[in-house]
Amino acid sequence: MTGSKHLHETGLVVEPPHLKGRWQRDPLMRFLSGLGRVWFPAWAPVTRLRAVTERDGVQQLEIVGREVVAHDENVIALTFAAADRAVLPEWRAGAHLDLVLPSGRMREYSLCGDPGDRTTYRIAVRRIPDGGGGSVEVHDDLHVGDTVSIMGPRNAFPLALPGYGSPVGRLRFVAAGIGITPILPMVAIADRLGLDWTMIYTGRTLDSIPFREELARYGDRVQIRTDDEHGLPTMDDLIGEVGDGGGALYCCGPTPMLEGLRTRLVDRGDIELHYERFSPPPIENGTEFAIRLASTGETETVAADESVLTALRRLRPSTPYSCQQGFCGTCKLRVADGTVDHRDGSLMDTERASGYFLPCVSRCDSESLTIDV
């Protein structure tokens, strides 16, 4: 083991000699290696064992499935595949795609299919009429047979499995409404591996809850709880049995749910809390300041409780954005003048030194920012 570690660190590639010192490569292995170089390239088009080629991080995929997955019909699932049904880049539970819509908008959606299926990706989108237009466009304008551009997959919400990088033995999954999308593949993996897990799934009404039929196969491991029948759940309801002996809790839902769990678990060192938000995080310690567009001189006030991105889009509605949480980088811009209060976790120091910032979360440490727009 020590030798293997040394070779890995130094980057050396060493071919061991024959045991009797006659040659470095076995004749049989030479023959098989040569055969492989001829056989596998010829066989690959038949078996489709090749990955989709990405150009500048963008893939062109075809919509091969569209299905209503909530009984109130406000949630649809879209399934994508390569036009030639080639193997797609792999992904892990918790990953997401950036979907480029026909209008040019870019929106981020969690993958909710089977990570073991390398031929398709699946997302689900709830229609939100006043949500900025992305979900409405998905529902109204994307149909089977259409070609779309996607970037990813990327993962900012990874699942650390017991025995596979996490010391925690018990898993608790918490999903609210469309927050089921990143949780769904996590549950599938946990169940496939025979892990100790349970889940609570909340929603306004039973009809508003997507993927109920898929979850039915897990029996009483999954508790579905609706506000109209049971009332709002308490934090103890959400935490469940991991509150007794510890474990890891994975949650995706609205900000009040996440903030409630964070507050409830602040002193619980025996419970890991992992979460993904529906919406941008609340702004803490915000103050009012101004932004100015370098190209036109236009100015706009950024309120203490809103993001630079929100104010900027009043001047430039076409400004691209996706996650609004400071990790995807879609909205990255350069500052021409002013001091940035960086609040993201993704930009490198060299990018910040070059004047870049993420207006979805970062703010101003001076009276104003002049943005290179």
Side-chain angles (χ1 to χ4, degrees), residues 68-75 126 204-210:
V68 175
V69 291
H71 291 276
D72 64 4
E73 299 191 350
N74 282 333
V75 181
R126 181 178 294 282
R204 300 185 311 277
T205 66
L206 203 59
D207 284 346
S208 71
I209 292 181

Side-chain angles (χ1 to χ4, degrees), residues 135-204:
S135 67
V136 173
E137 191 172 352
V138 170
H139 276 250
D140 292 351
D141 298 339
L142 295 185
H143 305 283
V144 172
D146 291 345
T147 299
V148 296
S149 299
I150 67 104
M151 291 190 292
R154 293 181 292 160
N155 202 330
F157 188 34
L159 173 64
L161 296 170
Y164 298 83
S166 172
V168 175
R170 180 179 293 177
L171 297 173
R172 175 71 164 175
F173 299 106
V174 179
I178 198 62
I180 187 60
T181 51
I183 300 295
L184 199 61
M186 292 184 181
V187 166
I189 292 295
D191 192 70
R192 189 176 301 164
L193 294 176
L195 303 179
D196 182 4
W197 68 274
T198 58
M199 174 183 166
I200 183 169
Y201 186 11
T202 69
R204 300 185 311 277

Side-chain angles (χ1 to χ4, degrees), residues 85-97:
R85 304 304 185 260
V87 172
L88 300 171
E90 65 180 345
W91 60 282
R92 302 284 190 273
H96 65 271
L97 296 176

Side-chain angles (χ1 to χ4, degrees), residues 95 269 362:
S362 295

Side-chain angles (χ1 to χ4, degrees), residues 269-293:
D270 59 333
I271 299 179
E272 296 180 1
L273 175 60
H274 307 263
Y275 60 88
E276 187 168 65
R277 297 178 183 273
F278 276 172
S279 56
I283 295 171
E284 298 179 358
N285 304 317
T287 58
E288 182 180 293
F289 59 95
I291 57 172
R292 177 178 179 273
L293 305 191

